[in-house]
């Protein structure tokens, strides 16, 4: 178990921990010394050979007193992702092994909650069975941001065909608006910008609180530099506004923050500091 928020257990479901793209590619507005700035804040997080940022691809499993909720389902196996060769047509068991380590089987998941519809957050929504895509979690309802579903449907992306549409056709999808509550402990917080319908996840139990960032923020260095644009933000300025708002909320309440792509252990708190924010593991 990663941590406990009141009555809610949080488990890490790790699929990949590897270099992704270079810091210069990922943060195009951060200036020429971006790599040095990142390395100064998070020692060891840039691959010495390639200059690529080392990121976890992970979901978080929430065990509430009544439900098992998977937040984000990583890259998955057999998916079409030619843009990222490391994610293309994978065949790997680490994700399901992480679920087993948390004491659960795919049949035990009640809800799959997608913070947004990008390839590294929806992959295990489905799996190939006899050449057909079927929902990986046979008993789950899948909650997906309606605005992201509309965008991906319009573009007929591989992601939509492989990881979203089969869930809808199986009758297991719920397209949700931000602010949606899932049981007593989990709320979808609007943090648009990275994608149109992006949500971060708020967990509350008793007087304890935690936030799962999703891709509203990608590295703890963006606590100091929330103004840095990220390569894959659909609306970079809106993403900056959402990022600042999320960091303000985290620092004002002193809550636990779980960063979906933050360097492991991806868990800490945010403190307001000199007009920006400081990350504390
Ligand atoms: Zn992501």
């Amino acid at each position: 178990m990663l941590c406990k928020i009141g009555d809610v257990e949080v488990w890490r479901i790790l699929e990949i921990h590897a270099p992704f793209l270079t810091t210069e590619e990922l943060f195009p507005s951060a200036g020429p010394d971006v790599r040095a700035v990142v390395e100064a804040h998070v020692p060891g997080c840039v691959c010495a050979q390639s200059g690529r940022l080392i990121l976890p691809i992970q979901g978080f499993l929430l065990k509430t007193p009544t439900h098992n909720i998977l937040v984000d389902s990583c890259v998955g196996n057999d998916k079409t992702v030619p843009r990222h060769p490391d994610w293309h047509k994978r065949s790997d068991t680490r994700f399901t092994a992480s679920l087993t380590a948390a004491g659960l089987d795919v049949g035990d998941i009640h809800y799959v909650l997608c913070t947004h519809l990008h390839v590294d957050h929806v992959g295990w929504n489905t799996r190939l069975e006899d050449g057909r895509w079927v929902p990986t979690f046979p008993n789950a309802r899948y909650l997906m941001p309606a605005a992201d579903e509309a965008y991906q449907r319009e573009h007929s992306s591989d992601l939509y065909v492989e990881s979203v549409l089969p869930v809808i056709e199986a009758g297991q999808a719920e397209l949700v608006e931000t602010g949606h509550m899932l049981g007593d402990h989990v709320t979808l917080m609007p943090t648009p910008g990275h994608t149109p319908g992006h949500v971060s996840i708020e967990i509350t139990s008793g007087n304890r609180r935690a936030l799962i960032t999703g891709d509203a923020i990608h590295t703890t260095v963006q606590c100091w530099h929330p103004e840095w644009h990220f390569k894959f933000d659909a609306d970079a300025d809106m993403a900056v506004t959402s990022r600042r708002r999320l960091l303000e909320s985290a620092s004002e309440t002193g809550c636990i923050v779980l960063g979906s792509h933050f360097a492991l252990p991806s868990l800490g708190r945010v403190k307001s500091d000199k007009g920006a924010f400081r990350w504390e593991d």
Side-chain angles (χ1 to χ4, degrees):
M1 186 171 50
L2 188 57
C3 62
K4 195 162 184 194
I5 309 299
D7 296 330
V8 180
E9 291 184 11
V10 181
W11 294 71
R12 180 199 314 287
I13 307 297
L14 183 67
E15 183 189 42
I16 299 171
H17 187 232
F20 181 43
L21 299 179
T22 66
T23 49
E24 291 81 0
E25 289 170 304
L26 290 174
F27 305 107
S29 70
D33 58 349
V34 55
R35 178 173 174 172
V37 175
V38 170
E39 283 179 322
H41 282 288
V42 193
C45 77
V46 178
C47 172
Q49 289 87 28
S50 66
R52 297 195 289 164
L53 187 68
I54 299 166
L55 293 179
I57 309 291
Q58 61 190 338
F60 294 105
L61 171 68
L62 313 180
K63 291 185 178 178
T64 79
T66 50
H67 295 115
N68 298 318
I69 302 166
L70 175 66
V71 178
D72 288 337
S73 66
C74 304
V75 172
N77 280 354
D78 304 301
K79 297 295 163 100
T80 307
V81 198
R83 189 166 64 156
H84 301 300
D86 294 347
W87 298 354
H88 186 62
K89 305 286 184 195
R90 283 170 55 84
S91 176
D92 184 76
T93 56
R94 195 171 185 182
F95 178 90
T96 38
S98 294
L99 207 56
T100 306
L104 296 184
D105 181 72
V106 290
D108 298 322
I109 299 296
H110 300 108
Y111 288 97
V112 177
L113 212 171
C114 302
T115 58
H116 63 296
L117 302 186
H118 273 174
V119 287
D120 53 325
H121 297 260
V122 301
W124 280 103
N125 280 7
T126 59
R127 61 184 175 83
L128 262 189
E129 185 181 82
D130 300 328
R132 281 182 57 239
W133 295 107
V134 298
T136 303
F137 306 97
N139 302 315
R141 306 292 300 165
Y142 288 67
L143 273 55
M144 308 182 193
D148 282 19
E149 191 275 340
Y151 177 88
Q152 295 294 343
R153 173 162 34 89
E154 200 174 300
H155 290 78
S156 288
S157 58
D158 291 325
L159 172 162
Y160 190 75
V161 172
E162 296 179 346
S163 301
V164 176
L165 187 58
V167 178
I168 294 173
E169 289 179 341
Q172 290 178 239
E174 290 180 28
L175 304 179
V176 294
E177 305 296 332
T178 54
H180 185 91
M181 263 200 96
L182 178 49
D184 297 331
H185 301 296
V186 177
T187 307
L188 280 56
M189 281 178 67
T191 41
H194 182 62
T195 64
H198 188 281
V199 292
S200 301
I201 307 300
E202 180 181 33
I203 306 163
T204 50
S205 178
N207 59 0
R208 301 286 314 279
R209 179 179 194 250
L211 293 173
I212 299 175
T213 60
D215 284 9
I217 174 167
H218 286 80
T219 161
T220 55
V221 188
Q222 283 174 296
C223 298
W224 280 113
H225 296 286
E227 77 284 2
W228 281 7
H229 291 176
F230 183 73
K231 178 179 174 63
F232 300 108
D233 286 342
D235 183 330
D237 290 333
M238 190 188 289
V240 169
T241 302
S242 291
R243 191 150 47 242
R244 284 191 194 281
R245 204 175 289 151
L246 187 73
L247 289 166
E248 277 161 15
S249 172
S251 72
E252 280 166 10
T253 59
C255 70
I256 295 274
V257 175
L258 297 151
S260 298
H261 291 304
F262 287 9
L264 297 177
S266 323
L267 180 149
R269 293 177 199 272
V270 170
K271 298 272 164 61
S272 178
D273 191 341
K274 301 187 191 85
F277 302 91
R278 186 174 75 240
W279 174 256
E280 294 183 350
D281 279 322

